[in-house]
Amino acid sequence: MPETTVARVKSERMRTLACSTFALLFLGLIYAFSMFAAPMGEAFELEKGAIGLTFNIMMIAFCIGAVIGSQVERRIGVKGAIVIAAVLFFVGFAGTGLFAKGSIAVVYLCYGTLGGLGVGMGYNTIVSTTNLWFPDKVGFSSGVLMMGFGLGSLILGTLSVNLIPLFGLGPVFVGVGAAGGVVAAAAAFMLRRPPENIVALMAPEQAAARDAAGGDGADERFLLKTPILYLFWIWAVIVVAIGLATIGNCAANAQLVGIDAAFATLLVGLVSTCNGLARVVVGMIYDRTNVKVTMFVDGAVAAVACGCIIGAFATGTPALYIAGALCCGFAYGGEPVVASAFARQRYGSAKYPLNLSVINTSIIYGSLLSMAAQALAGGVDSPLAVFTILGVLSVVALVDVLPFSKKWDADLRATRAR
């Protein structure tokens, strides 16, 4: 193959990765909810308990938006799907800023539903399109993309919160919606799918092995018909639930163990930093090992996180809570990297956008599991009981890796045999 062709693809895919990561940095602002929750209560004159539900609505809408986005992208292309996502993101934030005062319904509709749908559509389309450019480094590309998405709340969320005293929450939300919408729309005109021979160009060993075996080992069946998906979901749902329970209440829980309000706000940003860092580190682990090892490592971090947070509330030790929150951010950041790489490796590229969106519905189930744990424990005001329940579940997630690994190996042998 001409070296100039390979060099050209390498150059274009790095531009694609940079553009996609920058766009996800803005879309990731939706995760800054814990930073915005208190200012929203004050500025919009809303109750704290009612505002908290917005985060769960947003995560459910995110997953629904990802599934819708996969179908929109299939029908009208990458550009059209991302433009629609950009419009929804703008309407979600701007609508909240302009009309939410005194109305929790507007917050649920705009920030929770429309914002969540927009981010889900944009995220799924951008990630699935960009990862196809990296058949040889899917863990790396997934990690960099997720890092941008995770760091949005730290970098732009912190900046937005600092602007609120100067301009007011409403104008800041309108500005956030406009900036995110413009960046996402610009990305829509820069992204495209890779050439059909991308695997032969960038991963010739994979292409040769695929041709020799009569296939690449990917399972082209509809993923809901494959039992291994449900084993993966058990692990993913629990890790997501632990992460959401921490992220959604990080600042408030930090203050319960004696951390002052200023550092509690900073801790939210530090958790986002670990979230973003994990996405690169876990991606590198995936590329150097396999899905089984990566799941076990990420699940072990989640279990350690629960143990630290339980210890923090049981003993009133702030340092333990800080360590646990950072580990939670890391574990939560690693899950979507594993999910995107798992979707690509296990089910191939033909239906990757749809498969990725279906696999990522683990966020819905994780959100519901987090809410169920809180309800069983007596509410968010009983964090020790909440994380005791989640700590037990973290052990279940670790144990689940064993049957998953056996099924993974058996399915891979069967697929190659066919």
Side-chain angles (χ1 to χ4, degrees):
M1 75 196 68
E3 297 239 358
T4 53
T5 302
V6 174
R8 189 161 54 246
V9 169
K10 284 184 177 180
S11 177
E12 183 168 355
R13 75 176 187 172
M14 293 309 296
R15 286 197 301 271
T16 298
L17 182 61
C19 170
S20 298
T21 303
F22 188 66
L24 289 175
L25 188 71
F26 280 82
L27 294 182
L29 266 169
I30 204 84
Y31 271 115
F33 175 77
S34 61
M35 291 183 176
F36 294 140
M40 287 169 70
E42 296 174 6
F44 300 149
E45 301 174 359
L46 300 172
E47 295 182 3
K48 175 185 174 182
I51 293 176
L53 183 60
T54 308
F55 187 70
N56 299 100
I57 294 173
M58 179 197 73
M59 297 311 301
I60 293 172
F62 172 89
C63 295
I64 295 173
V67 175
I68 294 173
S70 69
Q71 300 307 299
V72 172
E73 187 266 342
R74 186 167 66 87
R75 286 173 171 77
I76 65 175
V78 172
K79 183 186 299 182
I82 300 178
V83 167
I84 293 173
V87 172
L88 287 171
F89 182 88
F90 169 72
V91 174
F93 268 97
T96 303
L98 292 173
F99 306 114
K101 187 168 184 178
S103 176
I104 191 63
V106 171
V107 176
Y108 291 162
L109 173 63
C110 293
Y111 193 106
T113 305
L114 297 181
L117 287 171
V119 173
M121 288 184 65
Y123 170 92
N124 194 77
T125 305
I126 290 171
V127 170
S128 61
T129 301
T130 304
N131 275 343
L132 292 177
W133 284 89
F134 292 85
D136 54 329
K137 297 180 179 180
V138 66
F140 166 76
S141 62
S142 297
V144 172
L145 291 170
M146 305 308 168
M147 179 187 67
F149 193 63
L151 289 179
S153 59
L154 171 64
I155 300 173
L156 300 180
T158 302
L159 174 62
S160 300
V161 169
N162 289 332
L163 291 176
I164 291 173
L166 298 176
F167 302 102
L169 183 60
V172 167
F173 267 22
V174 173
V176 165
V182 168
V183 170
F189 290 90
M190 298 178 67
L191 295 183
R192 68 179 183 88
R193 282 181 164 260
E196 293 293 331
N197 63 337
I198 185 69
V199 177
L201 286 173
M202 306 311 301
E205 298 85 359
Q206 289 184 30
R210 177 193 61 195
D211 293 341
D216 59 3
D219 193 333
E220 298 292 346
R221 292 177 293 169
F222 184 48
L223 73 173
L224 290 177
K225 295 181 178 180
T226 58
I228 195 170
L229 172 66
Y230 301 95
L231 290 171
F232 180 83
W233 262 343
I234 291 172
W235 172 86
V237 167
I238 293 172
V239 172
V240 167
I242 293 169
L244 292 180
T246 304
I247 294 171
N249 304 286
C250 184
N253 284 345
Q255 293 177 67
L256 291 177
V257 295
I259 298 174
D260 64 81
F263 189 80
T265 301
L266 175 62
L267 183 60
V268 175
L270 294 177
V271 169
S272 295
T273 302
C274 284
N275 187 335
L277 178 64
R279 296 169 189 242
V280 176
V281 174
V282 171
M284 294 172 64
I285 293 173
Y286 191 102
D287 283 337
R288 285 165 173 74
T289 58
N290 54 56
V291 65
K292 299 173 291 184
V293 171
T294 311
M295 286 173 63
F296 185 82
V297 170
D298 199 59
V301 174
V304 170
C306 288
C308 288
I309 293 178
I310 291 169
F313 284 112
T315 64
T317 306
L320 278 176
Y321 183 81
I322 294 171
L326 295 179
C327 286
C328 273
F330 188 96
Y332 182 75
E335 187 278 334
V337 179
V338 180
S340 62
F342 167 70
R344 176 68 176 82
Q345 184 177 356
R346 184 65 175 77
Y347 300 103
S349 60
K351 298 179 181 179
Y352 182 49
L354 174 61
N355 291 337
L356 178 61
S357 67
V358 172
I359 289 173
N360 278 336
T361 57
S362 59
I363 297 174
I364 293 180
Y365 313 130
S367 179
L368 294 175
L369 179 60
S370 177
M371 294 170 64
Q374 292 173 6
L376 186 61
V380 295
D381 294 328
S382 304
L384 176 58
V386 171
F387 280 94
T388 299
I389 295 171
L390 294 175
V392 173
L393 291 174
S394 71
V395 177
V396 175
L398 275 178
V399 173
D400 174 69
V401 176
L402 296 177
F404 173 89
S405 299
K406 292 181 180 179
K407 186 62 178 172
W408 173 274
D409 293 338
D411 283 3
L412 190 59
R413 288 193 299 267
T415 301
R416 285 175 174 169
R418 287 196 297 271

